[in-house]
Amino acid sequence: MLRVLIIGCGDIALRLVRQQREQPSSRYGGVQFYALNRSPSRIPLLREVGIRPIGGDLDDRRSLRRLAGMADVVLHFAPPQGEGLVDWRTRHLLATLAMATAPARLLYISTTGVYGDCAGAWVEETRPARPGNARARRRWDAERQLRSWAIRAGVRLSILRAPGIYAKGRLPEARVRQGLPALLPEVDIHTNHIHAEDLARLAWQAVFWARPQRLYNAVDESSLKMGDWFDCVAAHLGVPRPPRLPYEAVMSAVTPAMQTFLKESRRLSNRRIREELGFRFRYPDVHTGLFGD
């Protein structure tokens, strides 16, 4: 029986578990999923999909002791805390895993934001990380912690750098319905996407097929600027497309969080996941993801 521990059991993790329950594998004589859980109200949902909840909180290192030595595979999907430049949650997790026999494999979902602004250039995994905001710096800190620990502990580590994750139900619906402006095409930024179902499938595939200590851009075949993405969402929702305005006008109309996205432009290559992992997308682009079902 393969024991898989989920840290950060949100939408992607639940999709992954449901996918595996629908297509069970006898490769390991079955899989038992566990999940760190700090919310009693979520216990029925976790049990319903076949996950055994383990009480604990990444913000409280002492509550994590039960995790030590319990898993063969760790899926680390939890985001850092909301402030600072160090990911203390990952630090607490690694300190706990170091208390007993380490898992054989660990997969972490990071963010393509660690690359920073690339002025619209094509980006492969060999490009140095230059995170341009605190949120991305915390993710970069988590990656470095994990790499150092995995090498010392002899753990097979895989890191997926994910961009904008979408699916029906996790779209910028409020923004588009409000008619907030998008940038004019000539000053717009390049964006990257992956469907939540594909990210869940890719994560499971990477656990077993990724090279040790390997980075992967977890992006689909879409090549869109942000305004084009909002136009797709508007068409999906059946509402008018957002107006296009100059850079300064858009920056003054959107939230500070959105402003950070508008300062970074990059196009990410998915060559590694296609060639090394042999991954095939169920939703190769956002048009298929939004209009193909």
Side-chain angles (χ1 to χ4, degrees), residues 117-139:
D117 180 35
C118 302
W122 282 100
V123 175
E124 297 209 359
E125 292 87 346
T126 53
R127 187 183 182 103
R130 292 191 175 90
N133 57 66
R135 181 179 61 254
R137 290 190 183 104
R138 291 190 291 272
R139 290 289 193 172

Side-chain angles (χ1 to χ4, degrees), residues 172-182 227-244:
E173 181 173 344
R175 186 195 191 286
V176 172
R177 287 192 183 279
Q178 290 170 18
L180 294 177
D228 298 326
W229 162 239
F230 291 146
D231 286 350
C232 288
V233 175
H236 170 71
L237 297 174
V239 300
R241 294 181 175 184
R244 302 295 186 97

Side-chain angles (χ1 to χ4, degrees), residues 36-161:
L36 181 67
N37 178 62
R38 65 179 181 181
S39 175
S41 64
R42 299 192 79 240
I43 291 177
L45 171 61
L46 297 178
R47 288 179 172 163
E48 179 185 345
V49 298
I51 300 172
R52 294 183 183 177
I54 306 296
D57 188 336
L58 284 176
D59 294 321
D60 178 5
R61 177 177 166 181
R62 292 176 296 179
S63 72
L64 305 178
R65 293 174 181 171
R66 292 178 62 194
L67 306 183
M70 70 171 295
D72 306 300
V73 174
V74 174
L75 303 177
H76 182 9
F77 297 168
Q81 75 286 344
E83 58 184 17
L85 302 180
V86 173
D87 181 357
W88 288 103
R89 291 175 175 173
T90 293
R91 187 161 296 187
H92 293 163
L93 173 63
L94 295 182
T96 300
L97 296 179
M99 294 170 59
T101 302
R105 303 166 188 263
L106 187 147
L107 181 132
Y108 178 59
I109 296 183
S110 183
T111 172
T112 57
V114 299
Y115 291 114
D117 180 35
C118 302
W122 282 100
V123 175
E124 297 209 359
E125 292 87 346
T126 53
R127 187 183 182 103
R130 292 191 175 90
N133 57 66
R135 181 179 61 254
R137 290 190 183 104
R138 291 190 291 272
R139 290 289 193 172
W140 176 228
D141 175 72
E143 288 189 15
R144 288 182 293 175
Q145 289 186 52
L146 287 160
R147 282 178 167 179
S148 177
W149 167 80
I151 291 171
R152 293 195 313 269
V155 173
R156 193 179 183 106
L157 171 68
S158 308
I159 297 175
L160 301 181
R161 288 176 172 170

Side-chain angles (χ1 to χ4, degrees), residues 199-216:
L199 181 57
R201 291 174 53 240
L202 175 60
W204 189 248
Q205 191 164 330
V207 167
F208 304 106
W209 295 103
R211 297 181 185 179
Q213 327 312 333
R214 194 69 158 163
L215 288 171
Y216 294 91

Side-chain angles (χ1 to χ4, degrees), residues 189-205:
I189 64 168
H190 292 276
T191 59
N192 306 271
H193 304 273
I194 189 168
H195 195 284
E197 284 290 310
D198 277 333
L199 181 57
R201 291 174 53 240
L202 175 60
W204 189 248
Q205 191 164 330

